[in-house]
């Protein structure tokens, strides 16, 4: 049952200045560290710095009266560059170190943004490390003023029951939005209504599949047969054993993100209505199986068993400008935002959300205290909360053929991580198992890829619908599958029309429209209160 209860608790965007005691205690890589007050702009040294770095830093500290400064080592095209230092602006940020990771700070030396390759000078104070991730200071919050987004326009028709089948399809395929202003683009990607619509589509579609044993057993059998084929023909025994331990909840060194996400995914499955215990168990198994496929690309022994050209060209679209996010790539690991969240689907932890797109029970991310410098604590963060989108006006986002240019020109959609490489791993897994699938109905392959996409959206919030579709529509990708199945015509355009089931579109649009109407009612109340405030004397 849909509830229009709205969670509108958002974190304050700017931290207030605070009085800081002369010495504060923190923890860095499992050891206690202390750092001086804001007046000294001090901090702790990142534990991965080289001895030479530490020596240089100590010398600098003796000159300016500060304690050792944290350092990160930039990675440019895979090569380690000179370390870059940060300092903690403790008058603006109240928690500089959290879970062994630099949590908040300003750059004291220039750095290179990973995707644009722009060199950012320390004088550009818009840039900082905020909550553990790189931030350009761009707005990430909902904009309620001004006109409607295209998604909102269509849902307004749904509210009045004046929508058409074409309107619903336009929610997926889009329209010409090439004249959108920078503010309109930011409004669209930060629109919780769009994120709610896509989340509902994934929720409703999986409920439709997994409430019917005849349907879900087909998906389960496809997943199990392919997973067993990959286990038996490609993967080293130690990886298989490690995977099985991780699935059983035992101590394991299997993929860190899988181990971090699995407990939460189990809770997220409980938010799906109408599923029997058997359906829940099999859906979880389908989710788990996809993590085996990652090793077809990431493990040398497994990838060596594939044709040499198996992955050639598939990931070229990620090398092009316009991936759409900002990040600093460092030797110590991934700098992801640390953000707890009760949301499911594509909703961020500060987005307004309906009650049935939140976990049923309180769930706290178990960020660990000591990652020995690997900075893996961010892998526990849900994907929508990890990184920020780059400025829509950046030159890379306006290059013809770039992902972000296509997204903004489409006029509908939202941004999570850019084109989905994970869906291409799934695509590659199907091709790796072509002997298993050589007599398969192409529709079965498409259904499998669509379910993977639905899980990306709903469980991990890893990618938006557009990010999944964009990757699968690339000519280099479609050509690979067509070639793998001997050029058979029925395999030519697999998965080119995902997320367009009419009954699911209709239900999801109506669910999202109820939420949008509730959000507008809240906005109206706020407007009235602001209006009344003009006449109140303090």
């Amino acid at each position: 049952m849909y509830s229009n209860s709205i969670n509108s608790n958002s974190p304050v965007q700017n931290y207030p200045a605070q009085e800081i005691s002369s010495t504060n205690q923190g923890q860095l890589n499992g050891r206690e560290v202390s750092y001086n007050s804001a007046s000294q702009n001090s901090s702790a040294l990142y534990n991965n710095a080289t001895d030479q770095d530490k020596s240089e830093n100590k010398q600098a500290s003796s000159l300016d009266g500060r304690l050792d400064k944290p350092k990160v080592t930039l990675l440019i095209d895979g090569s380690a560059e000179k370390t870059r230092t940060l300092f903690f602006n403790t008058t603006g940020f109240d928690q500089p170190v959290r879970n062994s990771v630099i949590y908040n700070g300003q750059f004291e030396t220039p750095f290179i943004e990973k995707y644009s390759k722009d060199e950012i000078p320390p004088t550009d104070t818009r840039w900082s490390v905020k909550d553990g991730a790189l931030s350009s200071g761009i707005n990430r919050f909902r904009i309620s003023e001004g006109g409607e987004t295209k998604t909102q326009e269509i849902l307004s028709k749904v509210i009045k029951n004046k929508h058409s089948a074409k309107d619903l399809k336009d929610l997926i395929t889009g329209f010409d939005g090439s004249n959108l202003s920078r503010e309109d683009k930011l409004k669209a990607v930060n629109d919780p209504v769009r994120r709610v619509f896509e989340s509902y589509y994934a929720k409703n579609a999986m409920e439709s599949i997994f409430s019917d044993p005849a349907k879900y057993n087909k998906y389960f059998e496809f997943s199990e047969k392919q997973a067993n084929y990959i286990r038996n023909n490609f993967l080293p025994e130690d990886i298989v054993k490690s995977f099985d331990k991780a699935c059983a909840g035992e101590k394991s060194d299997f993929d860190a993100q899988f181990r971090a996400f699995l407990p939460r995914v189990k809770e997220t499955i409980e938010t799906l209505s109408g599923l029997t215990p058997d359906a829940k168990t099999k859906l979880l198994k389908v989710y788990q199986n996809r993590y085996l496929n990652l090793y077809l690309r990431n493990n040398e022994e497994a990838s060596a068993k594939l044709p040499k050209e198996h992955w050639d060209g598939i990931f070229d679209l990620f090398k092009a400008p316009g991936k759409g996010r900002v990040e600093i790539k460092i030797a110590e690991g991934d700098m992801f935002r640390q953000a707890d969240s009760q949301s499911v689907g594509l909703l961020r932890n500060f987005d307004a959300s309906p009650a049935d797109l939140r976990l049923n029970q309180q769930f706290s991310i178990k960020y660990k205290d000591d990652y020995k410098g690997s900075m893996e604590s961010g892998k526990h963060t849900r994907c929508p909360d990890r990184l920020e989108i780059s400025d829509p006006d950046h030159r890379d986002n306006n290059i013809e053929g770039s992902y972000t240019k296509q997204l903004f020109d489409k006029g509908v959609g939202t941004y999570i991580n850019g084109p989905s490489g994970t869906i291409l791993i799934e695509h590659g897994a199907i091709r790796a198992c072509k002997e298993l699938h050589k007599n398969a109905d192409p529709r079965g392959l498409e259904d499998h890829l669509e379910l993977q996409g639905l899980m990306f959206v709903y469980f991990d919030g890893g990618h938006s619908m557009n990010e999944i579709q964009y990757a699968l529509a690339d000519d280099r990708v479609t050509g690979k599958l067509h070639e793998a199945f001997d050029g058979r015509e029925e395999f030519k355009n697999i998965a080119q029309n995902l997320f367009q089931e009419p009954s699911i579109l209709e239900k999801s649009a109506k669910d999202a429209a109820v939420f949008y109407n509730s959000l507008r009612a809240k906005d109206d109340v706020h407007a009235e209160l602001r209006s009344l405030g003009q006449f109140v004397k303090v």
Side-chain angles (χ1 to χ4, degrees):
M1 181 65 69
Y2 177 82
S3 168
N4 64 5
S5 170
I6 296 176
N7 167 31
S8 57
N9 294 325
S10 299
V12 178
Q13 190 169 1
N14 296 310
Y15 292 100
Q18 298 183 21
E19 288 291 322
I20 309 295
S21 60
S22 59
T23 302
N24 299 288
Q25 294 295 320
Q27 200 175 57
L28 186 64
N29 291 328
R31 61 185 177 85
E32 293 298 321
V33 298
S34 63
Y35 49 93
N36 286 348
S37 67
S39 62
Q40 293 176 297
N41 267 340
S42 63
S43 52
L45 175 66
Y46 203 86
N47 214 28
N48 281 67
T50 65
D51 289 339
Q52 181 180 355
D53 289 334
K54 293 178 181 179
S55 176
E56 292 173 355
N57 209 58
K58 186 174 182 180
Q59 184 178 9
S61 298
S62 66
L63 295 175
D64 61 19
R66 289 178 284 184
L67 293 180
D68 291 338
K69 295 174 248 180
K71 291 190 175 186
V72 293
T73 309
L74 289 182
L75 285 181
I76 306 298
D77 296 328
S79 301
E81 291 283 310
K82 185 175 175 60
T83 55
R84 297 295 189 263
T85 59
L86 298 92
F87 69 87
F88 297 136
N89 178 8
T90 47
T91 57
F93 302 113
D94 63 351
Q95 195 175 20
V97 174
R98 182 184 181 199
N99 301 314
S100 308
V101 176
I102 299 167
Y103 191 56
N104 286 313
Q106 299 290 141
F107 288 92
E108 197 168 71
T109 50
F111 71 94
I112 305 294
E113 195 282 314
K114 176 180 176 181
Y115 297 105
S116 67
K117 302 294 190 289
D118 289 344
E119 181 171 322
I120 312 297
T123 52
D124 190 345
T125 55
R126 295 173 299 177
W127 294 84
S128 66
V129 173
K130 185 183 292 184
D131 304 340
L134 182 64
S135 172
S136 66
I138 201 169
N139 178 56
R140 298 187 295 131
F141 297 90
R142 173 179 175 250
I143 302 171
S144 58
E145 293 80 12
E148 294 182 306
T149 66
K150 185 62 177 179
T151 295
Q152 291 170 354
E153 287 179 14
I154 294 172
L155 294 181
S156 288
K157 292 183 182 180
V158 174
I159 291 169
K160 299 171 184 175
N161 201 27
K162 293 184 177 180
H163 62 287
S164 65
K166 182 182 181 304
D167 287 327
L168 297 180
K169 189 174 181 180
D170 283 347
L171 284 168
I172 305 298
T173 58
F175 76 116
D176 182 10
S178 57
N179 293 322
L180 291 178
S181 67
R182 176 180 182 273
E183 290 69 26
D184 287 338
K185 292 172 183 177
L186 284 174
K187 184 172 187 174
V189 297
N190 289 319
D191 177 23
V193 176
R194 177 69 199 190
R195 292 170 182 260
V196 162
F197 164 71
E198 294 194 22
S199 303
Y200 270 134
Y201 188 98
K203 175 182 172 71
N204 291 331
M206 285 195 290
E207 286 176 349
S208 175
I209 295 167
F210 282 85
S211 61
D212 183 344
K215 288 182 181 179
Y216 73 69
N217 278 316
K218 288 182 181 179
Y219 286 86
F220 175 71
E221 288 167 9
F222 183 102
S223 175
E224 280 289 277
K225 286 179 181 178
Q226 179 170 285
N228 288 332
Y229 187 90
I230 289 171
R231 291 164 71 112
N232 295 332
N233 291 279
F234 294 104
L235 299 185
E237 186 177 351
D238 61 323
I239 288 178
V240 173
K241 288 182 177 178
S242 180
F243 170 74
D244 288 339
K245 285 184 177 180
C247 291
E250 300 173 13
K251 187 175 181 180
S252 167
D253 61 357
F254 193 71
D255 184 83
Q257 180 168 292
F258 175 77
R259 289 181 283 116
F261 278 8
L262 188 58
R264 187 188 184 99
V265 169
K266 292 177 180 178
E267 295 295 327
T268 306
I269 288 175
E270 295 300 321
T271 67
L272 298 173
S273 301
L275 274 61
T276 63
D278 180 63
K280 292 176 183 178
T281 298
K282 288 179 176 175
L283 176 54
L284 178 64
K285 187 61 176 174
V286 173
Y287 173 85
Q288 292 171 330
N289 283 343
R290 75 174 169 89
Y291 274 87
L292 287 173
N293 301 337
L294 295 175
Y295 288 84
L296 292 174
R297 174 168 168 79
N298 299 334
N299 178 265
E300 288 187 11
E301 184 177 337
S303 60
K305 296 178 182 179
L306 293 166
K308 186 178 180 181
E309 68 282 359
H310 187 81
W311 299 110
D312 287 357
I314 288 292
F315 298 98
D316 286 354
L317 71 160
F318 300 101
K319 299 175 184 177
K323 187 173 178 68
R325 67 192 192 204
V326 296
E327 189 174 355
I328 178 172
K329 187 66 175 176
I330 62 173
E332 289 80 7
D334 294 311
M335 291 188 74
F336 292 150
R337 180 168 278 108
Q338 295 186 40
D340 222 331
S341 177
Q342 295 302 110
S343 299
V344 300
L346 300 182
L347 290 156
R348 297 167 295 184
N349 71 336
F350 54 80
D351 283 324
S353 62
D356 57 348
L357 289 180
R358 296 199 298 276
L359 295 178
N360 298 334
Q361 304 294 329
Q362 181 73 22
F363 185 92
S364 296
I365 294 174
K366 300 297 189 293
Y367 287 116
K368 294 190 177 181
D369 293 330
D370 184 9
Y371 279 88
K372 298 180 174 62
S374 68
M375 295 180 69
E376 286 187 337
S377 59
K379 291 184 183 296
H380 288 249
T381 303
R382 295 194 74 241
C383 297
D385 295 310
R386 286 183 172 181
L387 297 166
E388 293 184 11
I389 190 171
S390 61
D391 194 316
D393 277 354
H394 190 281
R395 64 181 184 281
D396 289 352
N397 294 330
N398 292 282
I399 296 174
E400 287 296 332
S402 71
Y403 171 71
T404 39
K405 177 76 163 62
Q406 170 272 151
L407 170 64
F408 293 134
D409 284 354
K410 193 173 182 180
V412 297
T414 192
Y415 184 88
I416 307 297
N417 273 318
S420 174
T422 315
I423 198 67
L424 297 185
I425 296 288
E426 294 302 310
H427 186 278
I430 287 175
R431 292 185 290 109
C433 301
K434 62 183 181 181
E435 285 301 311
L436 176 68
H437 300 314
K438 62 184 178 182
N439 296 318
D441 180 352
R443 178 63 191 177
L445 306 185
E446 187 165 275
D447 287 347
H448 173 75
L449 286 171
E450 184 160 31
L451 177 57
Q452 298 302 313
L454 296 172
M455 290 192 295
F456 294 166
V457 171
Y458 194 72
F459 290 160
D460 303 338
H463 287 287
S464 69
M465 292 176 173
N466 188 68
E467 291 169 351
I468 295 163
Q469 292 170 307
Y470 179 86
L472 289 173
D474 188 272
D475 290 342
R476 290 159 290 196
V477 175
T478 58
K480 282 281 189 182
L481 191 65
H482 193 211
E483 179 185 341
F485 288 91
D486 303 320
R488 288 159 57 187
E489 190 65 23
E490 62 268 35
F491 289 89
K492 189 173 183 179
N493 293 304
I494 294 292
Q496 298 308 297
N497 296 292
L498 302 183
F499 316 124
Q500 296 182 40
E501 174 61 38
S503 63
I504 303 298
L505 273 176
E506 179 85 22
K507 177 171 172 46
S508 304
K510 288 180 176 179
D511 287 344
V514 174
F515 168 74
Y516 180 39
N517 210 27
S518 299
L519 204 58
R520 290 197 303 188
K522 183 170 75 75
D523 290 341
D524 290 342
V525 171
H526 286 176
E528 280 193 49
L529 291 173
R530 285 196 298 269
S531 176
L532 289 171
Q534 296 176 14
F535 304 100
V536 177
K537 292 183 179 181
V538 179

